[in-house]
Amino acid sequence: MALFVAAHLLSALAPSFGALMAGRIVASFAHGAYIGVGSVVAADLVRPEKRASAIALMFTGLSLANVLGVPLGTFLGQQLGWRATFWTVAAIGVVALAGVVLLVPRGGRPETRLRHELAAFRSGRTWLALAMTAIGWAPVLGVVTYVAPLLTEVTGFSKGAVPIVMTLLGVGMLVGGPIGGRYADRALMPSVYALLGGLAVVSAALLGAAHNKVAVVAALTAFGVVASATIPALQTRVLDQAAGAPAMASAANVAAFNLGNAVGPALAGLTIGAGFGYTSPLWVAVALAVAGLAVALLSGALDRRAGHPADGAAERSAASNGAVEPVGR
C-alpha cells in the first residue's frame, strides 16, 4: 500500500507524460500484489468454512470502487484538473495504509520460502484452477467493454443514458459478491458449476434482450450479479488447490483474472472488427463461459478420481493451520 501511495504521488506530480505512465505502471504492480495478499489475509481472519465470504467482502470493496470511485475520479478531474484525482487517490491510500497497520492482526501464517511456494505450481490441479479463472472471467470484460455501443447502436439508448445503465450493472456486481461467497462456503465446486453456467445463460439472455430497453437493463443487472458472484468462488478454489503457497497462488489468480480481462475484450473486438456487429461479444461470452464450465467440470472430475472432497474441505483445513486465530464469522 505504501508503494501504491508513492505511485499516485508520482502521477500527481508528473512533469511529463512519461513520468505519468511510470507512476501508472508502478501502481499496477502494487494493485495486483495487494489484492493477492489481501485475499489470503481476509481468508485467514475467519474460520475456514467462511473463507469465501471473507474474500467476497474484500472484492466487494473493489466493485464499490468501480461503481463510486470511477465516476468520482472523473468528476474531480473535470472540476479541479486531472492531478486532483491522483492526489485524492493517494490520500485514500494513506487512510488504507493506516487501517492495515492499525487493524490487521500481526503474525499469523509462518514464513515460507520461495521454492516452497513455487512447488505448488507443479500440480496440474493448480493450473486447472488458474485456467478456470482466466477462461471463466474472460466473458465478463468481453461484455462490459462493449456495453456502450451495444446500448446505443443496438438497443437505442442515448449516450447520456449509458452511465445510468452502467450504474445498475455496478449495483448488480455489489449484490452478487456476498451472495457468491455465501454459497461458495456451503458448496464450492457446485457453486462454480452453477455460476459459470449462469454466465453463459445471462449472456445468452442479453442476446435475446438486446433490442428491448427494459429487458436489456434487467439482463445487464443480472449479468452483474452473476459475474461478481464468480469471484470469491474462483479465488477460493485456487487457494484450496495451492494450500501450501497461499500468497503466491492468490497473486497468480489475480494475474489470471487480468488475463481474462485482456482475452475477453480482445476476442470480442475481433468479432466486431470482422463485421459481426455489436451483439457478437455476447456470442463470445457464451462460448467462453461454456469453456470455463468445461474446465471446472474437468477439475471436479480429477478431484473425485483422486479422492479429494468436492468442496475443498481438506485443503481449507490444511490452509488454516498456522493462520491467525479467527476473529469472527
Side-chain angles (χ1 to χ4, degrees):
M1 184 50 63
L3 185 62
F4 177 87
V5 172
H8 283 82
L9 290 176
L10 174 60
S11 295
L13 296 168
S16 65
F17 181 75
L20 173 63
M21 292 308 298
R24 305 311 302 136
I25 292 172
V26 173
S28 71
F29 284 126
H31 173 269
Y34 184 84
I35 293 177
V37 176
S39 298
V40 178
V41 173
D44 280 354
L45 289 174
V46 298
R47 295 180 176 86
E49 67 272 16
K50 296 292 184 182
R51 295 174 76 206
S53 293
I55 292 171
L57 183 59
M58 193 202 78
F59 275 92
T60 297
L62 194 62
S63 298
L64 187 63
N66 287 325
V67 173
L68 299 179
V70 172
L72 176 60
T74 302
F75 175 78
L76 288 174
Q78 291 172 342
Q79 300 300 316
L80 302 175
W82 61 268
R83 293 183 190 272
T85 300
F86 290 111
W87 282 113
T88 302
V89 174
I92 293 172
V94 171
V95 174
L97 176 59
V100 171
V101 172
L102 296 174
L103 300 176
V104 176
R106 296 181 179 274
R109 193 174 296 277
E111 293 185 6
T112 57
R113 295 182 179 179
L114 179 60
R115 61 188 179 90
H116 293 154
E117 291 265 338
L118 292 176
F121 293 93
R122 297 174 185 169
S123 169
R125 295 171 66 204
T126 299
W127 285 104
L128 270 179
L130 293 171
M132 192 191 313
T133 295
I135 299 172
W137 184 250
V140 178
L141 265 290
V143 171
V144 171
T145 301
Y146 300 102
V147 160
L150 173 73
L151 294 176
T152 56
E153 302 298 325
V154 179
T155 311
F157 279 105
S158 66
K159 291 183 179 180
V162 171
I164 299 174
V165 179
M166 290 294 289
T167 298
L168 293 175
L169 171 66
V171 170
M173 296 191 75
L174 278 176
V175 172
I179 294 174
R182 178 174 298 181
Y183 282 98
D185 277 327
R186 294 179 181 177
L188 180 57
M189 287 309 292
S191 295
V192 170
Y193 303 148
L195 290 167
L196 292 178
L199 268 181
V201 171
V202 293
S203 298
L206 274 169
L207 270 170
H211 296 277
N212 183 288
K213 292 182 178 180
V214 174
V216 82
V217 169
L220 269 176
T221 304
F223 183 87
V225 172
V226 178
S228 182
T230 63
I231 296 174
L234 294 172
Q235 189 77 357
T236 303
R237 175 62 175 177
V238 168
L239 288 176
D240 283 353
Q241 297 305 297
M248 185 73 76
S250 181
N253 203 43
V254 173
F257 276 116
N258 285 322
L259 179 60
N261 287 343
V263 170
L267 293 177
L270 287 174
T271 62
I272 294 174
F276 291 105
Y278 288 116
T279 59
S280 59
L282 302 175
W283 287 107
V284 174
V286 172
L288 287 170
V290 170
L293 176 59
V295 175
L297 290 170
L298 174 60
S299 182
L302 292 177
D303 279 354
R304 291 188 293 274
R305 179 177 296 181
H308 293 286
D311 61 355
E315 288 89 344
R316 293 183 208 183
S317 176
S320 67
N321 292 333
V324 298
E325 183 67 20
V327 295
R329 292 180 178 273

